[in-house]
Amino acid sequence: MWSGKEIYAAAERNKDPILSVLRNYIKKGVAQVFLEIASGSGQHVAHFAPNFPNVTFYPSENGDPKLIRSIEAHTAEMSNVKTPTNIDIATNYKTWNNGFFKESTIDYMYTSNLTHVSPFECTISLFKNAGKLLNSDGLLFMYGPFAVDGNLSPESNINFDKSLRAQNSELGIRDTRDLQELADKNGLQLLEMKDMPANNKTLIWKKSSQ
């Protein structure tokens, strides 16, 4: 019998390495809020949440009923995971869930494998919304393939980037130089860029103290 859970092999492979990064940054014992943008199947939030019982997790997806059902199925027994919210990251946070999310109330924002498979306007809006939603010293975690200061490697990532752009000229692996420019405009600074398995990276951005 189908449980409603979608299972993606890549998410299974990378959930532990990403969790190991989060462990270095998420504070223990303090009530906090974690907003995931583009939760996909829900495998990541379901893996993270039991490790941080003091954190309330808000998963989200952009209108795909199958993925919403999958997130719900993966997290059904988890008291610190809220019902998934419908979020289009290209829109202003004030429109999300009837204005539920307020300025400077989020401790952590997280997204995985989003920026290269969506138009750049989504990345622009991600930084704009993070700049508003994150509280002082809040963190934005971004996982995926990235070019660094104009350099993209290895060959597999170069070929992946070419295939994305061939499908749609608005897609493609993003460069940290462009991300840093967006961060600067929205009160964020790059705290760490950590190499991950399968030629990916986790970028950790910190909201500047006011």
Side-chain angles (χ1 to χ4, degrees):
M1 184 177 179
W2 182 60
S3 67
K5 295 180 181 179
E6 299 292 329
I7 303 292
Y8 299 148
E12 282 299 301
R13 289 193 300 269
N14 62 36
K15 66 183 184 181
D16 270 326
I18 298 171
L19 175 60
S20 70
V21 174
L22 298 183
R23 287 185 188 280
N24 292 327
Y25 287 97
I26 294 182
K27 299 172 185 176
K28 296 181 180 180
V30 180
Q32 296 158 94
V33 174
F34 184 113
L35 173 61
E36 181 181 22
I37 301 297
S39 300
S41 64
Q43 288 163 262
H44 280 182
V45 69
H47 189 61
F48 301 158
N51 291 276
F52 306 106
N54 58 309
V55 177
T56 300
F57 288 80
Y58 289 86
S60 72
E61 253 306 324
N62 185 16
D64 187 329
K66 181 178 72 173
L67 293 179
I68 293 291
R69 287 194 298 269
S70 180
I71 297 165
E72 290 174 336
H74 277 288
T75 61
E77 305 301 321
M78 298 178 183
S79 60
N80 63 328
V81 181
K82 298 298 185 180
T83 301
T85 301
N86 184 50
I87 289 178
D88 177 357
I89 190 58
T91 61
N92 187 289
Y93 74 93
K94 293 180 181 179
T95 68
W96 303 347
N97 198 14
N98 296 316
F100 176 81
F101 298 102
K102 306 300 183 184
E103 186 170 338
S104 302
T105 60
I106 305 294
D107 298 283
Y108 310 103
M109 290 180 66
Y110 167 81
T111 191
S112 171
N113 288 320
L114 170 70
T115 60
H116 58 286
V117 297
S118 59
F120 193 58
E121 67 177 287
C122 293
T123 301
I124 294 172
S125 189
L126 174 66
F127 276 94
K128 284 183 178 179
N129 286 309
K132 293 295 185 180
L133 285 171
L134 289 173
N135 60 28
S136 180
D137 298 326
L139 300 175
L140 167 64
F141 302 97
M142 299 170 64
Y143 171 85
F146 298 96
V148 180
D149 295 330
N151 298 309
L152 180 60
S153 64
E155 190 69 22
S156 59
N157 274 353
I158 294 172
N159 292 334
F160 181 39
D161 180 60
K162 289 178 180 178
S163 70
L164 288 169
R165 295 178 189 276
Q167 295 171 41
N168 185 331
S169 61
E170 293 189 312
L171 309 183
I173 295 176
R174 309 307 175 187
D175 195 303
T176 55
R177 291 184 303 190
D178 298 323
L179 302 184
Q180 185 66 68
E181 185 175 328
L182 294 175
D184 290 343
K185 291 178 180 178
N186 292 285
L188 299 166
Q189 58 186 3
L190 184 60
L191 197 61
E192 184 178 8
M193 178 165 52
K194 187 168 180 61
D195 290 330
M196 305 292 286
N199 304 308
N200 290 306
K201 298 181 185 299
T202 297
L203 309 182
I204 301 101
W205 306 88
K206 184 179 180 181
K207 177 74 174 291
S208 302
S209 300
Q210 299 299 317

